[in-house]
């Protein structure tokens, strides 16, 4: 189910500049703590907190990043976040071999239309790609 859901959601269309920067930082070096990631993306400080959180939300929802343990960063442990492409390379590669249509068909067969998980996935997908553009290539993320 994971690789089909990942193939269904994976796109960088509609991502903010900050989301791209965070993802690029994680693809270069994973996993990183929150502090390390904010430093790498120049999103430190109280005024950048909401920008950071919005950018990370997009990456979490599209399954482009994953939690991968903890890092002792200061007085308390911090979640280690990594790029899915780096941490689960085998699953990334498997999902890149699945077309959007195949993934969509699989999800429709396995999850009933009223399933909340399916509804959420459809909502995330619709927000990231125009409904007319579903057959478009998934940009640089499929490489």
């Amino acid at each position: 189910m994971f690789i089909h859901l990942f193939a269904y959601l994976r796109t960088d269309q509609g991502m903010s500049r900050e989301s791209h920067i965070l993802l690029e930082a994680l693809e270069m070096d994973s996993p990183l703590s929150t502090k390390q990631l904010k430093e790498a993306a120049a999103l430190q400080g109280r005024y950048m907190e909401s920008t950071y959180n919005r950018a990370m939300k997009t990456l979490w929802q599209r399954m482009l990043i994953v939690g991968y343990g903890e890092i002792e960063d200061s007085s308390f442990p911090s979640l280690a976040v990594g790029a899915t492409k780096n941490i689960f390379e085998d699953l990334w590669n498997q999902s890149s071999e699945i077309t959007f249509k195949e993934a969509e068909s699989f999800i429709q067969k396995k999850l009933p239309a009223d399933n909340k998980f399916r509804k959420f996935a459809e909502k995330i997908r619709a927000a990231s790609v125009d409904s007319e553009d579903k057959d478009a290539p998934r940009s640089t993320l499929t490489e």
Side-chain angles (χ1 to χ4, degrees):
M1 177 57 111
F2 177 84
I3 61 171
H4 287 87
L5 186 60
F6 188 55
Y8 179 75
L9 292 174
R10 189 169 70 183
T11 179
D12 64 355
Q13 296 177 1
M15 282 183 14
S16 68
R17 179 173 121 350
E18 290 81 8
S19 290
H20 280 283
I21 292 169
L22 289 167
L23 183 59
E24 185 178 308
L26 288 168
E27 286 177 346
M28 287 191 294
D29 187 19
S30 280
L32 295 174
S33 69
T34 301
K35 181 180 177 182
Q36 293 168 322
L37 186 53
K38 285 180 176 182
E39 286 174 5
L43 293 173
Q44 303 142 294
R46 184 174 55 176
Y47 297 111
M48 298 303 286
E49 190 70 24
S50 63
T51 302
Y52 172 80
N53 287 333
R54 273 192 309 275
M56 289 294 286
K57 180 180 179 180
T58 299
L59 298 175
W60 285 116
Q61 288 178 334
R62 296 180 186 192
M63 300 172 64
L64 296 172
I65 59 174
V66 293
Y68 196 73
E70 295 179 341
I71 295 176
E72 291 293 330
D73 211 16
S74 57
S75 59
F76 60 92
S78 178
L79 176 67
V81 178
T84 306
K85 182 179 184 177
N86 296 3
I87 303 294
F88 295 109
E89 185 176 358
D90 56 334
L91 297 175
W92 176 278
N93 292 336
Q94 288 175 36
S95 73
S96 66
E97 295 172 5
I98 299 170
T99 67
F100 170 78
K101 291 292 187 188
E102 290 170 335
E104 183 178 47
S105 176
F106 181 88
I107 290 167
Q108 289 172 350
K109 287 177 190 171
K110 297 293 182 183
L111 299 176
D114 63 342
N115 181 282
K116 292 184 185 218
F117 194 73
R118 177 178 165 180
K119 285 182 179 182
F120 185 73
E122 289 171 347
K123 177 183 169 185
I124 298 303
R125 178 66 188 187
S128 63
V129 179
D130 293 332
S131 59
E132 298 173 322
D133 206 16
K134 284 186 180 178
D135 294 322
R138 287 190 291 272
S139 192
T140 59
L141 295 178
T142 58
E143 294 176 356

